[in-house]
C-alpha cells in the first residue's frame, strides 16, 4: 500500500474521443516524478516491430522507463486508482493491470513529435486495452506538442493542463504534434 494518500479528482469528464481526470497529482508530486525520471537512462524512442530508431517523420522523442520499484510504486498506485474509477464509469473493460513499465517521454527538440499511431505494443506480454497519458509540463513551458485523439473526421485536442490524465482505448488513433519551442514531458502507461 502506498504512503501517499489518494487525491480526489478536481474534475473529470468525457469527450467523444477520450476521458480525462485532473487533480490526481499535486504540483510537488509531478516534480518528484520528473526528478525520478531524470535519474534514469534515456534513449531515443523506438516503435514496435521496427529495428533501430524510427524514421524521424514518424517519431522523434526520448524516453526513460520507470519500473514498478519501491521508489515508484506510489505513482503506479495512484494511476491504478484513477484508472479503476474511470474504467468502471466509462469503459468497463476487463483489465488485469499494467502490462509494461511506465514511459517517461521527453519532446525536447524542435520538431519533436509522434505521428498518428495506435498503441499496439508487444502482444506477447499482454494486449494493451487502455492508454493513459499524464501531462507533466506546464503549457507555458513549450509550444506545439498537442496530444490529439481521433475517432471521427476531425481530431480532438487534449487540454495541455499540467497534471491532466487523458485515457483512451489503445486502438484509438492519436498523435503528438511537433513541439516548436521548449520541452514537453509526459508519462505514458498501458493497461
Amino acid at each position: 500500500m502506498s504512503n501517499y494518500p489518494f487525491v480526489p479528482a478536481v474534475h473529470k469528464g468525457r469527450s467523444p474521443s477520450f476521458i480525462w481526470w485532473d487533480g490526481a497529482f499535486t504540483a510537488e508530486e509531478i516534480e518528484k516524478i520528473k526528478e525520478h525520471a531524470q535519474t534514469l537512462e534515456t534513449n531515443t524512442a523506438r516503435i514496435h516491430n521496427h529495428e533501430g530508431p524510427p524514421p524521424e517523420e514518424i517519431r522523434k522523442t526520448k524516453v526513460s522507463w520507470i519500473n514498478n520499484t519501491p521508489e515508484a510504486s506510489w505513482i503506479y498506485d495512484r494511476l491504478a486508482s484513477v484508472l479503476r474509477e474511470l474504467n468502471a464509469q466509462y469503459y468497463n473493460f476487463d483489465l488485469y493491470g499494467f502490462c509494461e513499465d511506465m514511459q517517461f517521454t521527453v519532446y525536447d527538440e524542435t520538431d519533436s513529435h509522434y505521428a498518428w499511431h495506435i498503441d499496439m505494443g508487444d502482444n506477447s506480454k499482454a494486449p494493451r486495452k487502455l492508454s493513459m497519458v499524464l501531462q507533466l509540463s506546464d503549457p507555458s513551458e513549450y509550444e506545439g506538442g498537442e496530444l490529439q485523439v481521433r475517432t471521427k473526421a476531425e481530431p480532438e485536442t487534449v487540454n495541455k493542463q499540467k497534471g491532466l490524465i487523458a485515457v483512451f482505448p489503445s486502438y484509438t488513433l492519436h498523435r503528438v504534434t511537433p513541439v516548436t519551442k521548449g520541452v514537453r514531458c509526459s508519462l505514458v502507461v498501458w493497461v
Side-chain angles (χ1 to χ4, degrees):
M1 201 64 162
S2 172
N3 292 332
Y4 294 85
F6 181 68
V7 178
V10 172
H11 197 252
K12 61 184 173 182
R14 181 183 182 105
S15 79
S17 302
F18 60 92
I19 55 179
W20 52 271
W21 184 295
D22 179 33
F25 294 91
T26 66
E28 294 80 21
E29 289 170 335
I30 290 171
E31 291 310 309
K32 186 174 179 179
I33 293 169
K34 290 166 68 173
E35 288 169 10
H36 176 69
Q38 290 167 356
T39 68
L40 304 171
E41 179 182 348
T42 302
N43 296 296
T44 299
R46 299 185 178 276
I47 54 176
H48 182 64
N49 286 338
H50 187 274
E51 294 295 321
E56 285 194 357
E57 64 269 13
I58 296 174
R59 187 173 191 186
K60 184 179 175 186
T61 62
K62 297 175 187 165
V63 297
S64 301
W65 297 95
I66 300 178
N67 301 323
N68 194 355
T69 61
E71 302 84 45
S73 64
W74 68 274
I75 308 167
Y76 280 87
D77 292 345
R78 188 76 54 84
L79 289 173
S81 294
V82 168
L83 189 68
R84 272 191 298 273
E85 184 170 329
L86 291 176
N87 183 55
Q89 188 172 354
Y90 296 105
Y91 296 115
N92 201 29
F93 285 174
D94 188 11
L95 302 176
Y96 296 97
F98 297 111
C99 55
E100 299 165 63
D101 293 330
M102 290 184 287
Q103 182 185 94
F104 177 76
T105 309
V106 178
Y107 298 80
D108 67 347
E109 300 175 30
T110 299
D111 198 37
S112 291
H113 66 280
Y114 197 169
W116 290 111
H117 66 285
I118 59 174
D119 290 342
M120 289 303 297
D122 180 0
N123 284 333
S124 67
K125 295 178 184 176
R128 293 175 175 175
K129 293 182 180 179
L130 288 174
S131 298
M132 298 180 76
V133 180
L134 169 60
Q135 174 66 22
L136 298 172
S137 298
D138 189 275
S140 66
E141 297 173 355
Y142 66 100
E143 294 175 8
E146 282 90 13
L147 171 60
Q148 295 185 324
V149 182
R150 188 173 190 165
T151 59
K152 52 188 180 177
E154 292 298 318
E156 284 190 81
T157 300
V158 176
N159 187 321
K160 292 168 102 174
Q161 182 175 331
K162 185 176 182 177
L164 187 86
I165 299 170
V167 179
F168 47 87
S170 297
Y171 55 75
T172 303
L173 199 59
H174 60 285
R175 71 175 176 183
V176 176
T177 64
V179 170
T180 57
K181 183 178 178 183
V183 177
R184 176 190 187 269
C185 298
S186 62
L187 190 65
V188 181
V189 66
W190 306 275
V191 184

